[in-house]
Amino acid sequence: MPRNTRLSSLDQYQLSPSDLTKPNAYHGYSGGILQPNFTRHWSNATHTEQPNWIINNTINEDERERIMGYIRAQYQFTDWLSLSARAGTDFYTDRRHMHDAIGTRVNQIGGLNENVHRFREDNMEVLLSADRTITQDLSISASIGGNYMRDFFNNIGYNGSRISVPGLYVISNTQVQNPEYGLQEREIQSVFAFGQFNWKNFWYIDWTVRNDWSSTLPVENNSFLYPSLSSNFVWSDAFEISNELLSYGSLRASWAQAGSSGDPYLLTGTYSLTLNPQLGQPGAQFTNTIPFNDLKNELTTSLEFGTDLRFLEGKIRLDVTYYHASTKNQILNIAVAPSAGYSSKSVNAGEIQNSGLELMLNASPISNSNLFWDISLNFARNRNKVISLTEGVDRFLLGNARNVNVFADPGQPYGAIYTPNARWLRDDQGNRLIGPDGLPIKERGEFLIGNAMPNWVGGISNTLTYKGISLSALIDVRNGGDLFSLSNVYEAIYGTTKATLQGRDGTYVAEGVMAEQNTEGEWISTGQPNNLQIQAEDYWNHVVPGEGNAVSEEFLNSATFMKMREMRLAYSFPISITDRLGVNQLTLALIGQNLFYFIRNTDGFSPEAANFNAGVSSFGIEAMSWPSMRTLGFSLQVGF
């Protein structure tokens, strides 16, 4: 919002009866000039609306009714053999209503949308389990079973435009009405088995095997198998090592595969009804994605090694894990030439590798009958690399917004951020080169400017308990990673960011070194710091000459943060009270989540903003994101 707009002037936002007769007019303007005392619209941009109008005349609301249920039965044949069966369901109905009043800037004729989403997922499973001691040293457990999963999604509703009677928001009050209908179903049938060999309680070998049949794959490919094998050797027990310093030590290793079958209808595509009938009959439009009738399942193969060490009778614990994983046959939609009549096609594409290190350190410095203190620190560092894509595809677009693209490039780390327009020209020391007009010099072309992936992530959790009172806190940390902000671009255009305040009196000096051209027309640094004063407006118009022509590196933010993710204060009532109430446990807790940041480097938005974008779905990009939600609540736990 422009700084020269009086907040009191925003109170005048409603339309007059004469305004409603000409909804396509820019109300409050005459001859392109905003009239005195009328600020319903404070921008000539067609997508910008007055805040009070949005609050009072545009509605977006939903109501969800949800039921989750679960039932389980078990029969014990012998002391070592049992059969169990369980079934569960999760279904909800989501009613959504949206409307724009007549005169809304982006929808001046008014409109509304009413629809109902229904979702249901059913799971049924049967499991035969055996657990038997073979000898004094060897025990074996094994289970075999089957699972059936089916999910269903259905959307029914109407979209209406051109409201007849102002203020009445029902479908029958719109002049143009279009039905909406969507359906998606999927089914996976599975058989699986798992078991364990236990030798003297210090050497464990675990195995699993699972086979899925998925409805989203073609018949010839719809069956896929993925096994796993792991072992854990407790060497402190095997070699009878136990003292005051070292109380436990183990080594573990595992090899595993995991499969995934993708979304429904990639084999055949789908049709949607169009609004343009042909010869009196409704028309239909085929999907914009070319179907792939030879689709195969994704498969991730991972290898992991780790150790678990415990000291001082378990008061200190260190757990270290190294992993390497490779994912092949990823199911992706890649862009195709418009001449194909489609925008994309589904493929099984290439290979991506991930490897990393995970550390967990836990300690209980104080532990007695009245006071207990537990602290845990975790650290994770992941490195990934795009090994290959599919034939004929040099790179895969993960996401984009005006001024940036996020790519997966073979041979490069995943999540590379590129500018398609320009970057600042710099000398060998990284200084920007400044021209004789006092403005930085641009280098045209596509350039790599950052990467969305973090260097590492971590966390610290603390729990302090005194008698029945418990206080816990969880801190999240992320180091590194870049985040391009489209919101910052628009703020620079409108001059609403604090970065544009400096030098508005004509004293702005762009950071960098002065440059001059040699005989070949190349810009060369003089080594002298720039001292040319210019208008701040000239600088920012140079940085952002248009919405899609910004120098993107200027709006690249560090995604590093440290955040108070959660705090919890709880009180467990003593036995003297629970016995009188007839319960075994009673705990009352106050809970706060997403409370505040200790460290944040982003300008005007959350460093986790890629999760809350409006209309753009890509990590590494922030685009008019919603603020992350801070929640305060309480819980009451009762145990019988």
Side-chain angles (χ1 to χ4, degrees):
M1 184 183 300
R3 301 297 190 223
N4 61 354
T5 298
R6 294 178 181 271
L7 294 180
S8 59
S9 71
L10 300 180
D11 294 339
Q12 185 175 345
Y13 64 89
Q14 296 288 13
L15 299 179
S16 67
S18 62
D19 291 331
L20 296 178
T21 65
K22 46 182 187 299
N24 291 317
Y26 287 153
H27 303 294
Y29 287 85
S30 176
I33 300 175
L34 182 65
Q35 299 303 294
N37 302 319
F38 204 128
T39 58
R40 196 182 75 80
H41 293 304
W42 43 265
S43 169
N44 288 331
T46 57
H47 59 268
T48 306
E49 182 59 82
Q50 207 262 24
N52 282 349
W53 180 274
I54 294 175
I55 293 172
N56 294 283
N57 290 292
T58 64
I59 300 298
N60 186 346
E61 58 189 13
D62 64 89
E63 177 183 348
R64 176 174 292 189
E65 298 173 353
R66 186 171 190 173
I67 296 178
M68 291 180 284
Y70 174 85
I71 187 171
R72 183 177 185 270
Q74 180 173 325
Y75 182 77
Q76 196 78 31
F77 294 104
T78 68
D79 60 350
W80 58 272
L81 183 66
S82 65
L83 178 68
S84 64
R86 59 182 181 178
T89 187
D90 177 7
F91 65 89
Y92 64 79
T93 299
D94 192 356
R95 295 178 175 85
R96 302 183 180 185
H97 171 91
M98 295 175 283
H99 74 248
D100 296 327
I102 296 174
T104 299
R105 195 63 177 268
V106 296
N107 186 12
Q108 296 196 16
I109 58 176
L112 64 94
N113 181 277
E114 292 268 9
N115 54 39
V116 177
H117 293 181
R118 292 186 176 89
F119 172 82
R120 177 166 180 166
E121 179 177 315
D122 296 322
N123 277 278
M124 289 174 280
E125 184 176 285
V126 177
L127 187 67
L128 180 66
S129 300
D131 188 349
R132 192 159 192 179
T133 300
I134 307 302
T135 68
Q136 183 178 354
D137 296 330
L138 177 65
S139 63
I140 298 175
S141 64
S143 299
I144 184 170
N147 180 272
Y148 170 83
M149 188 282 292
R150 177 180 181 271
D151 64 36
F152 168 89
F153 174 79
N154 174 236
N155 172 39
I156 301 175
Y158 274 91
N159 179 280
S161 62
R162 197 173 291 278
I163 293 175
S164 297
V165 179
L168 180 59
Y169 301 110
V170 294
I171 287 293
S172 57
N173 188 42
T174 58
Q175 299 176 33
V176 180
Q177 302 165 15
N178 302 310
E180 295 181 355
Y181 181 79
L183 176 66
Q184 179 175 293
E185 296 179 281
R186 173 173 50 186
E187 180 179 305
I188 298 178
Q189 300 175 9
S190 309
V191 293
F192 57 88
F194 57 90
Q196 183 186 79
F197 297 92
N198 177 356
W199 177 256
K200 292 186 176 181
N201 291 325
F202 64 71
W203 186 21
Y204 303 87
I205 298 176
D206 294 90
W207 58 272
T208 71
V209 62
R210 183 183 181 104
N211 198 99
D212 288 347
W213 288 266
S214 174
S215 66
T216 65
L217 297 174
V219 174
E220 59 272 19
N221 297 334
N222 71 354
S223 173
F224 52 99
L225 180 76
Y226 44 104
S228 74
L229 182 65
S230 65
S231 179
N232 187 31
F233 178 61
V234 185
W235 51 266
S236 59
D237 291 349
F239 304 125
E240 298 182 351
I241 299 174
S242 181
N243 51 57
E244 292 183 359
L245 178 62
L246 178 66
S247 52
Y248 179 90
S250 70
L251 293 171
R252 63 181 182 271
S254 69
W255 173 89
Q257 288 187 323
S260 175
S261 57
D263 294 328
Y265 313 130
L266 297 179
L267 309 179
T268 59
T270 58
Y271 283 91
S272 58
L273 295 178
T274 69
L275 307 181
N276 302 313
Q278 301 292 326
L279 300 177
Q281 299 298 318
Q285 180 178 346
F286 193 59
T287 178
N288 287 324
T289 301
I290 301 174
F292 184 34
N293 56 19
D294 192 32
L295 195 68
K296 299 179 178 63
N297 64 283
E298 295 182 358
L299 189 66
T300 298
T301 303
S302 61
L303 190 63
E304 182 178 301
F305 301 95
T307 184
D308 185 356
L309 303 174
R310 303 175 194 178
F311 307 91
L312 304 177
E313 298 180 345
K315 289 185 178 180
I316 299 177
R317 179 184 179 186
L318 175 64
D319 193 291
V320 182
T321 302
Y322 170 80
Y323 63 88
H324 178 84
S326 173
T327 302
K328 297 182 178 180
N329 287 338
Q330 293 184 95
I331 301 173
L332 302 173
N333 287 339
I334 62 172
V336 298
S339 58
Y342 297 85
S343 61
S344 62
K345 67 176 180 180
S346 298
V347 298
N348 286 118
E351 178 182 0
I352 291 181
Q353 290 184 356
N354 284 271
S355 59
L357 184 68
E358 297 177 347
L359 302 175
M360 190 279 289
L361 179 63
N362 174 261
S364 301
I366 302 175
S367 180
N368 56 53
S369 58
N370 291 325
L371 182 62
F372 177 76
W373 177 25
D374 182 82
I375 180 171
S376 292
L377 293 85
N378 62 76
F379 170 91
R381 178 183 177 120
N382 181 75
R383 292 294 177 265
N384 51 39
K385 188 176 183 180
V386 181
I387 303 301
S388 63
L389 295 173
T390 192
E391 183 179 354
V393 178
D394 298 327
R395 63 190 343 188
F396 179 71
L397 181 65
L398 300 171
N400 68 330
R402 290 186 177 97
N403 312 288
V404 293
N405 298 311
V406 183
F407 284 113
D409 287 330
Q412 299 295 325
Y414 190 81
I417 303 175
Y418 286 84
T419 173
N421 302 320
R423 67 178 179 184
W424 299 128
L425 187 63
R426 298 177 183 270
D427 62 16
D428 294 339
Q429 288 72 45
N431 300 309
R432 289 193 304 181
L433 300 184
I434 309 299
D437 56 0
L439 296 173
I441 301 168
K442 296 178 183 179
E443 184 179 9
R444 300 291 180 179
E446 181 187 74
F447 302 101
L448 176 67
I449 60 173
N451 192 282
M453 301 300 293
N455 297 324
W456 56 266
V457 296
I460 305 171
S461 65
N462 267 287
T463 301
L464 189 65
T465 303
Y466 178 71
K467 295 184 177 180
I469 302 174
S470 175
L471 176 65
S472 61
L474 174 61
I475 297 173
D476 273 356
V477 182
R478 169 180 167 134
N479 176 266
D482 299 307
L483 189 60
F484 171 81
S485 174
L486 188 59
S487 298
N488 285 169
V489 172
Y490 283 109
E491 289 169 348
I493 291 174
Y494 298 138
T496 58
T497 173
K498 61 184 179 182
T500 65
L501 293 175
Q502 181 184 353
R504 291 192 177 189
D505 58 354
T507 60
Y508 188 87
V509 177
E511 183 179 353
V513 295
M514 300 182 71
E516 59 186 14
Q517 288 182 296
N518 61 17
T519 56
E520 297 178 355
E522 298 175 335
W523 288 100
I524 305 297
S525 171
T526 65
Q528 299 297 317
N530 176 46
N531 58 8
L532 298 175
Q533 293 185 346
I534 58 175
Q535 291 285 344
E537 183 179 4
D538 293 335
Y539 174 81
W540 289 105
N541 284 337
H542 181 65
V543 173
V544 195
E547 294 178 357
N549 296 297
V551 180
S552 304
E553 65 183 274
E554 192 82 21
F555 305 101
L556 206 62
N557 293 255
S558 168
T560 295
F561 70 84
M562 178 184 287
K563 180 176 187 176
M564 180 60 75
R565 180 69 66 185
E566 180 176 294
M567 292 189 71
R568 183 176 186 269
L569 178 63
Y571 178 69
S572 296
F573 290 85
I575 296 177
S576 58
I577 294 179
T578 57
D579 283 349
R580 279 187 290 174
L581 296 176
V583 298
N584 293 329
Q585 179 191 3
L586 183 62
T587 302
L588 177 65
L590 300 177
I591 304 170
Q593 295 177 325
N594 297 324
L595 295 177
F596 56 86
Y597 286 98
F598 297 100
I599 298 172
R600 179 174 68 86
N601 299 310
T602 49
D603 182 13
F605 60 91
S606 165
E608 302 165 278
N611 300 322
F612 310 104
N613 283 337
V616 175
S617 178
S618 175
F619 73 112
I621 297 175
E622 181 276 334
M624 283 71 75
S625 60
W626 297 100
S628 58
M629 183 178 294
R630 179 186 295 119
T631 60
L632 300 173
F634 71 93
S635 69
L636 180 65
Q637 294 179 316
V638 182
F640 296 92

